[in-house]
Amino acid sequence: MSAAAPAAAGRRRAGQVVRQAGRLFGGLLPRRADWENARRSPRRDLVAGLTVAVVALPLALAFGVTSGLGAQAGLVTAVVAGAVAAIFGGSNLQVSGPTGAMTVVLVPVVQQFGAGGVLMVGALAGLILIALALARLGRYVRYLPTPVIEGFTAGIAVVIALQQVPAALGVTGAHGEKVWAVAADAVARFAAQPRPAAIAVTLGVAALMLLGARWRPAVPFSLVGVAAATLLAELAPIDLARIGELPQGLPVPSLDFIDVGALGTLLPSAVAVAALAALESLLSATVADGMTVGERHDPDRELFGQGLANLASPVFGGIPATAAIARTAVNVRAGASSKLAALTHAVALAAIVLAAAPLVGRIPLAALAGVLLATTVRMVEAASLLALMRATRADAVVLVLTFAVTVIWDLVTAVVVGLAVAVVLALRAVARSARLEQVPLDTGEHSAEEHALLTEHIVAYRLDGPLFFAAAHTFLLELAEVADVRVVILRMSRVSTIDATGAQVLGDAIARLRARGITVLLSGITPGHDQVLSTLGVADELRREGLVFPDTPSAIRYARGVALAPSPS
């Protein structure tokens, strides 16, 4: 018995751990239903996955180069993160990998901390995303204002375009603290020693993609352009910088990048990467849902899948990843209906890495610059931006400010500034909706003398809208102007919300009126608001004196008695 007791206790503890883990990860892990659609139309999913792989190949190479870790890192990210996110993510249609928005955040990290810092940032971002998923915070991304989203999307497009200037001009060694400074330095170097071949290839590939998409949208003109540029570079005597030699196969998994001592230094960058990955992935999943009928993503599972993908990618030398709207849209249009399509895309890219690495290494960097320039043009929807600019002045201010900060400083600062300004403007608009309106009294059956007395000595105010910190000061100023009356009725039934500041201001206004000898009556307080007032001790004296009424008619009846009573001499 004594020997069996510890074993039984151990089993109970193990069972408790399993149950706690089940509650913690419940709903986040893959399930059999995820693959039911794959059984219905596997051929269509396989074709869609191959189509996306063709489109994703030049983008993965280009984003890897732009991030500063090289084309191999971009391919590894598309393969590893793409597969993990496809299996564990919360969308059946989402395709993940390296993105332009992510490179915007990574470039400063590479410059400051090197390749190891980027891998460490990616792993930390993965842990943060998993924490967000466990906290079930995915649903709250939907509250991000549209002007902020559109502003930083347009800003990202400009930043990515500026990042391509050195490669497009065939310039090496350009430097600067910000991306626009690097672009300016590249232009100056090009002016001193022009190299027309690189810029011709860049503009040619970009033009082919943009014009070809209008002519034959189903044709992957990005791959056609890159192939044509590579063939031209091989056959013509022109000097173009190439991607360089790529290893055949994925790198050996390694955790050498882990540096516990650098956690504090790298954490702000990791938070920025995690925020961007969450935002872009959930927006992409929402777009995919809108392109289909009956598809609905699970935002918390999507965050969990992206977190695991960003944990796995650095182990193989990949950069942080997120879902990509462009690749996801191609997946949906190609007829994908399950996770099999996104998984096929990752497997197809892995096959390319194994079989065609030497050929991929011969691609000119200028061709990849052309792919990204065309991508930036597609990112910006001019009609949507113009509509937002014309919607309201507040929307225009938030959009322009977010865009400008994105280009001049960085993406994280832009989102923080854009959100802060949007919140301030929203509070200002809500505060303006709060009104303190004097309303006429129903005097009933009274003589002309009594009617005049009531009109002179009783005033009723109806409070409409929210009574919170942003509107409370205005409320106090308006109510303080009440003069030459004996009774003030405050009708509270239309107050939509009240916070601690609003309750305290209400208490101050009541105290000031009573100090002037004015009787104050409250009517129509809802139970939720009454709890706030009671907790803060507001209007306690009125309650004790019976001056708080459930409705306005009973308050008016009491007020008539006070107003018609003889004034104390």
Side-chain angles (χ1 to χ4, degrees), residues 42 45-50 53 86 339-349:
D45 285 326
L46 290 172
V47 171
L50 293 173
K339 294 172 175 289
L340 179 61
L343 187 59
T344 301
H345 138 271
V347 173
L349 288 177

Side-chain angles (χ1 to χ4, degrees), residues 152-379:
F152 82 68
T153 300
I156 287 170
V158 171
V159 172
I160 295 173
L162 291 173
Q163 287 175 342
Q164 308 318 307
V165 171
L169 299 179
V171 173
T172 58
H175 61 274
E177 292 186 3
K178 298 294 181 181
V179 64
W180 47 267
V182 176
D185 185 50
V187 171
R189 291 170 182 260
F190 177 80
Q193 191 176 358
R195 293 181 180 179
I199 193 170
V201 169
T202 299
L203 295 179
V205 172
L208 179 64
M209 287 180 60
L210 295 174
L211 297 177
R214 294 186 177 184
W215 176 52
R216 290 285 190 273
V219 177
F221 281 102
S222 59
L223 191 62
V224 172
V226 168
T230 305
L231 186 62
L232 176 65
E234 292 294 320
L235 299 178
I238 54 178
D239 182 21
L240 291 174
R242 313 297 182 94
I243 288 177
E245 185 178 354
L246 294 177
Q248 289 184 284
L250 295 177
V252 177
S254 172
L255 297 176
D256 292 343
F257 63 87
I258 294 179
D259 182 3
V260 178
L263 282 176
T265 306
L266 295 174
L267 188 59
S269 298
V271 171
V273 168
L276 180 59
L279 177 62
E280 193 165 9
S281 296
L282 295 179
L283 287 177
S284 176
T286 302
V287 170
D289 290 347
M291 296 175 65
T292 60
V293 177
E295 281 290 341
R296 289 295 177 268
H297 73 282
D298 184 327
D300 297 318
R301 280 192 65 193
E302 185 59 32
L303 290 182
F304 186 69
Q306 294 297 331
L308 292 179
N310 279 284
L311 275 178
S313 182
V315 175
F316 292 88
I319 61 177
T322 178
I325 294 177
R327 276 164 275 180
T328 299
V330 171
N331 194 38
V332 175
R333 294 189 185 112
S337 60
S338 76
K339 294 172 175 289
L340 179 61
L343 187 59
T344 301
H345 138 271
V347 173
L349 288 177
I352 293 173
V353 171
L354 291 171
L359 181 60
V360 171
R362 300 298 298 169
I363 295 174
L365 294 178
L368 298 182
V371 170
L372 292 187
L373 283 179
T375 302
T376 60
V377 173
R378 292 175 178 174
M379 286 176 63

